[in-house]
Amino acid sequence: MMITGSKRSSRLPGSEIRSLLRHAGSRDIISLAGGHPRDELLPLQHLQEAVGRALTRFGRRSLQYGRTEGEAELRDWVCGYYQDRGIRVTPEQVLITSGSQQGLDLLARGLFDPGDPVYMNDPGYIGAIQAFQAAELVCQPWNFTSTPGSAPGNLYIVPNFANPTGESLPREVRRALLQSSHWIIADDPYGQISFCGPTSPWLPDIPIEDGPLILLGSGSKWLCPGLRIGWIVAPTALIELLGRLKQAADLQTSTLSQFTFLELAGLLPPEGARDLLVPVYRQQRDAMVTALKRYWDDDGAFRTPQGGFFLWLTLPEGWSAGDFAARALERGVAVVPGTAFALDRSRPGHPGTIRLSYSKETPEMIDRAIARLAEIL
Ligand SMILES: Cc1ncc(COP(=O)(O)O)c(C=O)c1O
């Protein structure tokens, strides 16, 4: 049988990162490619305890079907998370999702119609581009520096330490955008990994019930991605609508994962986890910056990231990102070419840039990787 799939699915490009990560998993490769937390920081022992606590506290409820919107206790926890950041959220405004990636998929299909534009940074988060394109939306470039404070249409933004550039959206632009009549989807998985003090998912004291702001949250980067816990915060009516779409997609997020996450977040609350993670990621960021200064010999090629997992590097004149990434792989280093983050894959932008992730490897390995990259030039 000839397998072609639907027109929609066959038009959808795969993620270059996922293909790269196949190589990156090999033991001989130093991976500066994925947005993975450092393995040693994944809280194995706390997780063992959290599963036990979840099973003791919730018993067979942990193993049963649950509510599509998410378990009440976890929705309450999400409200507390935002309350600690000065944002009032009610449980009815929360939908628990299977990672914030599912939030992007539900919003793409639940808020917009095929052909609708969504404005976002170019280069942009590849998973958002995929979710939007799967829903047949048109990703349009939006750069806050060229249109300060005004939204040309519905926006998708990573407000803190964006993937892939590491940049954050200034407070005054956040404030100005709230006057907009268009939706703003603010996706904030990296806010906890800050080298410059506490961040806000948007701004304190913002109203949720009347829009235009929709918040996406995730435990993937500061607890662990394997539990697949994320959430959407949005006006109640929208949560109800998205809940129906989620029902069709997966009925609910795993009950056991939700309760385990709840217990794990009790053992390692965001602030505590941040205290453990930030010094480690800061050291890794410093190792990358120091190595680039030592071997790369072009300070203007990057900005030092103030948080998150990524550094965006401009290659010397004349280098193609694809060729460079292929040569890097031959030398045992996985990096992602900037073209992978272009909104329009038919005319790939950012050909002279690469994304380097400092999240996964030790400072020593990062130093070795940058030295190898510099030898290519
Ligand atoms: C900007 C951004 N949003 C969302 C996600 C998806 O996160 P999750 O694991 O919660 O689905 C990622 C993962 O890398 C990301 O970088």
Side-chain angles (χ1 to χ4, degrees):
M1 185 177 178
M2 177 113 135
I3 301 186
T4 52
S6 67
K7 287 194 195 103
R8 188 187 305 122
S9 65
S10 48
R11 270 200 302 265
L12 195 63
S15 153
E16 270 180 57
I17 300 184
R18 294 252 149 200
S19 343
L20 261 167
L21 290 178
R22 249 176 263 144
H23 300 286
S26 137
R27 244 192 283 143
D28 305 329
I29 300 285
I30 307 176
S31 178
L32 307 183
H36 291 44
R38 172 100 170 259
D39 273 344
E40 293 82 351
L41 293 176
L42 297 175
L44 197 56
Q45 270 148 22
H46 285 103
L47 188 62
Q48 275 168 342
E49 192 178 337
V51 177
R53 285 191 184 202
L55 291 171
T56 306
R57 178 170 165 200
F58 298 104
R60 292 199 167 81
R61 215 183 121 196
S62 320
L63 310 178
Q64 198 40 287
Y65 286 116
R67 298 185 54 179
T68 298
E69 305 77 39
E71 296 307 312
E73 293 84 349
L74 186 55
R75 292 173 96 193
D76 285 345
W77 180 90
V78 171
C79 296
Y81 173 90
Y82 286 103
Q83 195 170 330
D84 291 346
R85 284 150 187 80
I87 303 170
R88 225 189 128 258
V89 172
T90 65
E92 298 71 34
Q93 294 168 331
V94 178
L95 177 67
I96 304 296
T97 54
S98 301
S100 55
Q101 187 63 35
Q102 186 183 44
L104 286 167
D105 174 59
L106 296 177
L107 286 166
R109 293 184 294 121
L111 262 188
F112 307 120
D113 289 308
D116 281 355
V118 178
Y119 291 83
M120 60 188 286
N121 205 50
D122 188 6
Y125 167 51
I126 212 160
I129 300 172
Q130 276 188 315
F132 296 154
Q133 289 181 345
E136 300 180 66
L137 310 183
V138 184
C139 297
Q140 295 281 2
W142 176 78
N143 182 340
F144 70 87
T145 50
S146 55
T147 46
S150 65
N154 299 306
L155 287 178
Y156 164 75
I157 299 174
V158 182
N160 298 305
F161 321 122
N163 179 359
T165 59
E167 302 289 334
S168 296
L169 193 70
R171 288 174 76 87
E172 55 287 3
V173 181
R174 299 183 193 199
R175 192 165 298 113
L177 284 175
L178 287 177
Q179 309 310 318
S180 164
S181 54
H182 304 289
W183 289 111
I184 303 166
I185 302 171
D187 179 13
D188 186 31
Y190 299 103
Q192 310 295 334
I193 318 291
S194 168
F195 311 134
C196 54
T199 61
S200 168
W202 194 259
L203 290 171
D205 289 329
I206 38 163
I208 297 294
E209 197 54 18
D210 299 323
L213 199 63
I214 296 170
L215 302 170
L216 289 182
S218 169
S220 289
K221 310 297 177 176
W222 61 271
L223 267 185
C224 56
L227 285 177
R228 307 304 302 130
I229 295 294
W231 54 87
I232 304 174
V233 169
T236 313
L238 184 56
I239 291 294
E240 281 168 16
L241 194 150
L242 297 172
R244 273 179 263 148
L245 274 181
K246 181 169 166 66
Q247 226 165 57
D250 66 355
L251 298 183
Q252 59 162 105
T253 295
S254 153
T255 321
L256 182 57
S257 258
Q258 292 185 60
F259 286 145
T260 303
F261 180 93
L262 183 66
E263 295 299 323
L264 188 59
L267 294 169
L268 277 175
E271 279 61 35
R274 198 176 59 202
D275 292 346
L276 288 176
L277 306 179
V278 167
V280 179
Y281 287 128
R282 187 201 298 273
Q283 233 185 13
Q284 292 171 199
R285 186 271 320 252
D286 288 348
M288 183 170 278
V289 168
T290 307
L292 283 167
K293 286 185 176 156
R294 184 181 312 147
Y295 307 117
W296 198 263
D297 210 22
D298 178 6
D299 272 6
F302 66 93
R303 278 206 222 149
T304 300
Q306 297 305 312
F309 283 1
F310 308 111
L311 183 146
W312 186 247
L313 184 71
T314 302
L315 299 171
E317 195 75 26
W319 270 98
S320 121
D323 288 348
F324 187 87
R327 298 274 289 276
L329 209 51
E330 283 165 16
R331 286 177 178 259
V333 183
V335 303
V336 186
T339 44
F341 306 95
L343 302 194
D344 181 354
R345 290 285 199 88
S346 62
R347 282 183 288 117
H350 323 294
T353 49
I354 54 172
R355 188 192 74 177
L356 300 178
S357 162
Y358 47 81
S359 60
K360 187 151 195 311
E361 304 282 358
T362 61
E364 296 70 34
M365 294 305 258
I366 290 172
D367 184 84
R368 193 175 306 170
I370 300 295
R372 285 190 202 169
L373 294 183
E375 281 164 18
I376 299 173
L377 299 180

